[in-house]
Structure formats: structure tokens, C-alpha cells
Amino acid sequence: MLLNGKKVFVGKFMTRRERMEILGDKAKKFTNVYIKNFSDNIDEDQMLDMFAQYGKIISCKVMTDPEGKMKGFGFVSYEDHDAAQKAVEDLNGKDVDGRDL
């Protein structure tokens, strides 16, 4: 299914327990990283530069309000789990622009 020109998957809601039962260890192999508590001064280019050193990035998004103001959180999606895991290990709690990620 396409939504605004992007392929999306629609499925039945599953609790975390149901996902873990079905997927097993595969559910722990994340590639999408949620980043919160960063400065309003950080844009997508800066976030991309910060996270690119850990591996190939598929997408990077800083969330904004309707006026374009940064909301202080975003997402980075890596091609593989090891890169995502390394980024989380290295950057979790790191001080960036006066705030701990």
C-alpha cells in the first residue's frame, strides 16, 4: 500500500508480549533509533552527521511542529542492527549542546 508515495505496512495491533512470542530474538534486533532531549538548534543535517559514523543510515528525521520549530526528538533508521546498537551504546546519555541524549 502507498501513502503519500511511500510504501507502508498495515497490520493488526500486537502487544509487546505477542510480538516477542512470534518474532523471538528477531524482535530485539532493532534498526530504528529514537533520539530525545536534544536542543532545538539541532537539525536533520547535524543529526545525520552525528549518527552517520556508526553505519549506513536509511533515513533521519527531526520532528517539527506545524510552524517548523524543532520538537527536541527524532529518529534515525540504520541498515543493520549492529550500527544501531553501537550508536545507542555510544550516544546514550552523551552531552550534546548542553543536554543529555
Side-chain angles (χ1 to χ4, degrees):
M1 174 177 170
L2 292 178
L3 181 65
N4 292 332
K6 295 184 178 182
K7 186 177 180 180
V8 296
F9 169 79
V10 179
K12 177 184 171 278
F13 172 79
M14 290 189 287
T15 64
R16 182 178 300 206
R17 176 190 279 166
E18 290 171 330
R19 279 193 311 276
M20 293 301 288
E21 288 173 1
I22 292 170
L23 298 175
D25 284 340
K26 186 177 178 184
K28 296 177 185 175
K29 302 259 183 203
F30 62 91
T31 56
N32 195 39
V33 179
Y34 167 67
I35 303 102
K36 67 177 184 174
N37 198 36
F38 57 78
S39 168
D40 294 344
N41 300 325
I42 294 179
D43 62 15
E44 285 182 16
D45 290 334
Q46 292 169 314
M47 191 159 68
L48 188 61
D49 288 342
M50 187 183 330
F51 284 85
Q53 63 184 316
Y54 299 101
K56 184 174 179 186
I57 294 176
I58 295 172
S59 66
C60 175
K61 180 70 176 165
V62 172
M63 303 309 291
T64 58
D65 66 13
E67 288 80 40
K69 184 177 182 254
M70 308 300 177
K71 295 175 87 175
F73 73 96
F75 300 89
V76 175
S77 183
Y78 285 96
E79 187 173 67
D80 65 80
H81 167 71
D82 293 333
Q85 182 68 40
K86 181 69 173 157
V88 169
E89 289 170 0
D90 286 358
L91 295 175
N92 188 34
K94 182 178 179 180
D95 183 291
V96 176
D97 202 19
R99 293 186 177 191
D100 291 341
L101 295 181

